[in-house]
Amino acid sequence: MEHYMKQMFVTSLDRSLPLFIETMGWNEWQEEFSRPQGYHCYHWLQTTGGEGQFEISDTIVTLAPNQGILLPPSASHRYVTRSHPWSTWYITFNGHLAPMIVSSLGLSTSTVISWEPGSRLSALHKRSRNLARQSFDFNGMDGSAFVYRFLMDLKRYGQVDNQRSFSQYTERMLPFIRFLEENYADPAFGLAQLSEYAGISSQRLNYLFKRTTGMSPYQYLIHLRVQKAKEYLINDKKLTVKAIASLVGFLDSSHFVYTFRKIEAMTPQNYRDLN
């Protein structure tokens, strides 16, 4: 039997947008995927039929219809089918405001999110398919608005068993996220300064931060520096890569290039040339 898979690759990305779609698609016969290094963008996967098994951070969960999971960048994971077929819909996205929006909405990452069968999330895969047939502009501002509406629907209709505690974590972490954004350019800034500002131990801060954003404070800081670097690369063509590295808090330009390539799958210069 032929396995049906439809994927839309967004090729002319406007990475200067606060949110942008990288890929989106649906798979009638979902196959096994293993990503030990995770994916470089936010990755949403939901079941539209059948059932699959998802493994992340030494935890095994089941994704049934009306369930999905939101992964932060670089989260190691693996998933396999538990039924034939297992049908899925997915979207990968990023943007310089993506971490802040996901965090401020209190969206749970790396855990199963469920919703009622009649909610907007249930028909999301059908709506995206209809938009694709209408030549919807997923590359630009329309695609950015699509991601934002999706995240708002996830906030409105999605449920997790410990949803209230996640909201409490988010409310508590927002001042520290803002503190990071105010100090990201300081190369000496790190977890010690953040935990001192928070007034709690670095271990406790690391735990709360991961529960809220899906990333450690250090990972969040690195992603924030890369996002700020992308703004400089696009908006000020006269700045050298070395100068931008210094402006966003990297002591060494080679480390900046290595980190940028690991997160964005391209060098800073390649990113600038594409934009």
Side-chain angles (χ1 to χ4, degrees):
M1 179 180 294
E2 182 179 356
H3 292 186
Y4 173 77
M5 180 173 70
K6 174 67 174 180
Q7 183 174 31
M8 183 193 73
F9 289 91
V10 182
T11 54
S12 55
L13 299 177
D14 186 351
R15 297 177 183 270
S16 65
L17 290 169
L19 292 167
F20 62 81
I21 300 174
E22 190 213 30
T23 61
M24 186 178 69
W26 45 94
N27 192 344
E28 185 177 351
W29 289 76
Q30 178 64 63
E31 298 178 349
E32 177 179 346
F33 267 92
S34 180
R35 296 188 178 100
Q37 304 303 317
Y39 198 71
H40 61 278
C41 292
Y42 283 91
H43 179 202
W44 168 260
L45 181 75
Q46 74 180 60
T47 294
T48 59
E51 193 172 274
Q53 179 177 288
F54 206 99
E55 302 177 18
I56 182 168
S57 301
D58 299 322
T59 301
I60 300 176
V61 297
T62 298
L63 283 185
N66 299 305
Q67 291 184 326
I69 190 166
L70 177 63
L71 301 178
S74 305
S76 175
H77 62 276
R78 175 176 179 265
Y79 47 94
V80 297
T81 183
R82 291 188 60 180
S83 65
H84 299 283
W86 174 33
S87 303
T88 62
W89 181 85
Y90 64 90
I91 183 171
T92 63
F93 64 92
N94 216 329
H96 63 272
L97 287 186
M100 186 62 181
I101 292 173
V102 170
S103 175
S104 62
L105 288 176
L107 296 177
S108 303
T109 58
S110 305
T111 190
V112 175
I113 299 176
S114 306
W115 54 90
E116 296 297 324
S119 78
R120 283 177 57 87
L121 291 172
S122 297
L124 187 59
H125 61 293
K126 297 179 181 178
R127 190 162 66 252
S128 66
R129 185 178 303 183
N130 290 335
L131 289 173
R133 289 169 177 167
Q134 299 169 19
S135 300
F136 184 80
D137 181 20
F138 285 104
N139 296 298
M141 295 184 66
D142 289 341
S144 184
F146 180 92
V147 178
Y148 183 75
R149 182 58 186 269
F150 156 65
L151 294 175
M152 293 296 290
D153 286 343
L154 200 56
K155 169 67 174 178
R156 176 175 298 178
Y157 302 110
Q159 301 173 354
V160 293
D161 290 339
N162 54 347
Q163 191 170 14
R164 178 174 298 178
S165 63
F166 271 97
S167 298
Q168 292 171 348
Y169 289 142
T170 301
E171 184 177 352
R172 187 174 183 183
M173 286 296 101
L174 279 177
F176 311 137
I177 291 173
R178 296 191 186 102
F179 187 66
L180 273 173
E181 294 186 340
E182 292 169 359
N183 294 276
Y184 74 90
D186 181 357
F189 183 78
L191 183 58
Q193 289 81 0
L194 186 60
S195 60
E196 182 179 353
Y197 174 79
I200 57 178
S201 70
S202 59
Q203 291 84 357
R204 179 62 177 168
L205 178 63
N206 193 63
Y207 170 78
L208 292 173
F209 216 93
K210 278 192 173 182
R211 294 283 286 180
T212 305
T213 67
M215 292 184 277
S216 69
Y218 177 75
Q219 289 173 322
Y220 190 94
L221 175 62
I222 294 301
H223 277 80
L224 180 60
R225 284 173 171 168
V226 169
Q227 295 298 336
K228 295 297 182 181
K230 288 160 65 177
E231 295 176 21
Y232 280 118
L233 287 164
I234 293 173
N235 298 326
D236 195 338
K237 303 288 187 179
K238 294 181 180 179
L239 284 173
T240 64
V241 169
K242 184 177 181 179
I244 292 173
S246 178
L247 285 171
V248 298
F250 285 90
L251 287 172
D252 182 82
S253 59
S254 61
H255 181 225
F256 166 62
V257 172
Y258 171 81
T259 303
F260 192 100
R261 178 185 288 170
K262 184 176 181 180
I263 293 175
E264 295 296 326
M266 65 180 73
T267 67
Q269 189 60 53
N270 291 150
Y271 178 85
R272 171 175 273 172
D273 293 341
L274 288 173
N275 292 275

